[in-house]
Amino acid sequence: MVALPLDSYFLVRAPRVIDSLFPRERSTRTLVGLALLISGCACWPGSFVLGFALSKAGIDNVFNASRSHLIRRGEPDLAQRADASRQIIGMVGGTVYVFVAEAPSLEIAGLIYLLGCLIPVAPKVRTLLTAKPVGPERTRNTAAILVESIGGVAYVQGDVLLLAALASS
């Protein structure tokens, strides 16, 4: 619910912006992801759900910045393989922990999953921040992208959140 609306702007623009602007927007995208990740880590002790959600959103944004050059070059297949690989690494790590640990906890399993997703991205962060960040364009098109992505997320995930809220009350 967090990552997609924030990342949609960059996702739509990455293949289309001029070469001189691309690294600057990629730096901004990376910084947004790092801010979400740091916020998630700060929230984790007080709220596992909020901490996990923000951390995952941050990792996803940084990852999407790291693969945006592949999409820009017309190689979405390589970008998707990279995404599948990091997800598999995280899922395998978390699953192994759940089956091997004597008394597994959801928090530790979630942390292992996130670390598995972060490992392929972490070494690339420095190279993603080589250009001066630039703010998003303030246009009707930008607003439309944001509103459409929020609507899409609400449509796809809203029922799950509503069900969770009802079940926990």
Side-chain angles (χ1 to χ4, degrees), residues 30 34 58-67 82 86 115-128:
T30 303
L34 291 174
I59 291 168
D60 286 350
N61 278 23
V62 173
F63 174 75
N64 286 333
S66 76
R67 73 181 187 150
R86 78 178 177 104
L115 288 174
C117 290
L118 183 62
I119 288 170
V121 178
K124 300 176 186 176
V125 169
R126 179 178 266 163
T127 62
L128 298 173

Side-chain angles (χ1 to χ4, degrees), residues 8-159:
S8 288
Y9 170 79
F10 299 106
L11 181 68
V12 169
R13 289 181 52 84
R16 296 173 178 87
V17 297
I18 59 174
D19 289 341
S20 62
L21 191 55
F22 173 72
R24 295 184 69 197
E25 287 195 356
R26 188 175 60 183
S27 289
T28 303
R29 192 178 196 180
T30 303
L31 289 173
V32 167
L34 291 174
L36 287 169
L37 178 58
I38 291 166
S39 298
C41 292
C43 292
W44 194 291
S47 171
F48 165 70
V49 173
L50 181 61
F52 182 86
L54 290 173
S55 297
K56 177 71 167 89
I59 291 168
D60 286 350
N61 278 23
V62 173
F63 174 75
N64 286 333
S66 76
R67 73 181 187 150
S68 59
H69 72 283
L70 295 172
I71 294 169
R72 188 172 170 84
R73 282 195 324 227
E75 299 175 319
D77 56 323
L78 295 178
Q80 289 305 102
R81 275 189 231 141
D83 192 19
S85 298
R86 78 178 177 104
Q87 296 285 349
I88 289 169
I89 290 168
M91 287 188 303
V92 167
T95 302
V96 166
Y97 164 76
V98 167
F99 285 111
V100 172
E102 191 171 309
S105 74
L106 182 60
E107 290 82 6
I108 300 297
L111 182 62
I112 292 170
Y113 168 74
L114 290 177
L115 288 174
C117 290
L118 183 62
I119 288 170
V121 178
K124 300 176 186 176
V125 169
R126 179 178 266 163
T127 62
L128 298 173
L129 296 171
T130 56
K132 182 180 176 183
V134 62
E137 288 184 334
R138 298 181 194 281
T139 64
R140 293 171 72 101
N141 191 36
T142 301
I145 291 169
L146 186 60
V147 168
E148 287 173 3
S149 63
I150 290 171
V153 167
Y155 175 74
V156 171
Q157 297 176 350
D159 56 343

